[in-house]
Amino acid sequence: MGRLLDIFTKLHKKTSRDYIARMMDSKIECMEIAKRYDESFWDGDRRYGYGGYKYDGRWEEVARVLIDIYKLDNNSKILDIGCGKAFLLYEIKKILPNCKVVGFDISEYALQNAKEEIKDCLFNFNAKDPLPFGNKEFDLVFSLGTLHNLSVYHLKNAFREMERVANDSYLMVESYRNNKELFNLQCWALTCDSFFSPSEWIWLMREFGYKGDYEFIYFE
Ligand SMILES: C[S@@+](CC[C@H](N)C(=O)[O-])C[C@H]1O[C@@H](n2cnc3c(N)ncnc32)[C@H](O)[C@@H]1O
């Protein structure tokens, strides 16, 4: 198994969340709208998702940490699974202009609204499907906040494929360590399908052949 990392948690903790208010605000309807991953999810009202996902430079620090941990350079090839608007790939490319970056996402809206500089590196694809890449084609494959949106039976292929195409890999998913965090996560999550504790996630990774690094975010 890979390492338990702490890369994204600092950013995750910067946002304050009113769990009960979200749960009481037509949550079922909001989930249905969020799961379309269209404009409402990204740039609509906060009750449907991000509430306006504009770039504010916060991904630069994450890019620098990834470059450092995985010793990325201008020859590296990097894949982002569930890249969204691809702000992280954009930052990596800014620091390493000659590296090759590729990203995919299920959301057409996110891809269309990604930074112009990076749009031609992105494509529409579902993480549950066999990846159109060769074995160990990428130096680093990462996936942030995406894989918990898959059902457990789709995670099997997603984990296997991530492992197959990557030399190094890192994923971040939502999780919970106690009943309070499970409650908060269930109040907050609009698109999550896989609610697992860290030990369950690690068990699944082993079971499905994923040997890369991982991080869990919690709703404290
Ligand atoms: C919380 S967002 C994270 C986006 C991006 N990784 C980031 O951190 O800014 C979750 C992302 O997962 C994508 N997604 C959800 N299900 C997916 C699937 N089955 N295949 C590919 N992308 C998916 C969504 O469209 C969205 O971009």
Side-chain angles (χ1 to χ4, degrees):
M1 272 308 278
R3 300 162 287 182
L4 174 62
L5 298 181
D6 181 6
I7 297 175
F8 183 79
T9 295
K10 214 186 331 170
L11 274 187
H12 169 69
K13 284 188 172 174
K14 277 189 181 159
T15 304
S16 64
R17 299 171 179 88
D18 186 339
Y19 300 115
I20 302 291
R22 172 162 283 190
M23 186 55 108
M24 300 300 288
D25 178 25
S26 307
K27 176 86 190 307
I28 300 166
E29 184 204 334
C30 292
M31 289 165 70
E32 276 156 12
I33 291 172
K35 285 180 183 189
R36 296 180 201 147
Y37 297 112
D38 61 14
E39 183 174 5
S40 300
F41 175 76
W42 295 97
D43 294 318
D45 195 282
R46 180 75 167 132
R47 66 207 291 260
Y48 303 126
Y50 280 105
Y53 198 40
K54 304 281 176 276
Y55 194 54
D56 59 7
R58 75 176 69 173
W59 289 99
E60 182 184 346
E61 195 185 335
V62 178
R64 291 196 184 280
V65 174
L66 287 180
I67 289 168
D68 183 46
I69 293 181
Y70 294 105
K71 312 264 174 289
L72 303 174
D73 59 27
N74 273 305
N75 297 313
S76 299
K77 202 169 166 189
I78 301 147
L79 171 68
D80 184 350
I81 294 180
C83 61
K85 291 188 180 182
F87 293 145
L88 181 51
L89 288 179
Y90 167 76
E91 283 297 347
I92 292 174
K93 190 82 177 152
K94 246 172 51 185
I95 302 167
L96 301 172
N98 293 321
C99 75
K100 174 147 170 65
V101 300
V102 182
F104 70 77
D105 200 282
I106 202 173
S107 167
E108 268 300 351
Y109 178 86
L111 302 174
Q112 277 163 13
N113 288 276
K115 291 257 188 208
E116 277 311 320
E117 297 89 326
I118 198 136
K119 266 189 188 168
D120 60 354
C121 308
L122 311 178
F123 66 104
N124 188 233
F125 196 75
N126 193 321
K128 76 178 175 54
D129 293 327
L131 299 181
F133 303 113
N135 295 347
K136 305 294 170 201
E137 189 171 328
F138 293 92
D139 298 293
L140 176 65
V141 177
F142 60 78
S143 181
L144 277 82
T146 295
L147 294 177
H148 52 246
N149 296 314
L150 272 60
S151 307
V152 66
Y153 43 84
H154 288 143
L155 282 174
K156 183 172 185 175
N157 189 60
F159 280 147
R160 281 192 177 159
E161 283 292 274
M162 197 165 167
E163 183 66 28
R164 180 182 67 77
V165 303
N167 284 291
D168 283 322
S169 45
Y170 157 65
L171 65 84
M172 179 276 282
V173 285
E174 296 173 347
S175 185
Y176 63 92
R177 294 165 291 196
N178 50 50
N179 284 329
K180 183 178 174 206
E181 289 178 356
L182 173 59
F183 175 81
N184 289 344
L185 171 58
Q186 289 178 336
C187 285
W188 192 254
L190 293 165
T191 58
C192 184
D193 263 351
S194 282
F195 294 86
F196 296 123
S197 66
S199 62
E200 289 169 330
W201 275 115
I202 289 168
W203 184 87
L204 283 171
M205 291 178 209
R206 282 216 181 93
E207 200 66 13
F208 297 160
Y210 176 78
K211 301 193 186 81
D213 299 328
Y214 49 89
E215 177 170 2
F216 305 112
I217 54 166
Y218 304 110
F219 296 78
E220 294 173 345

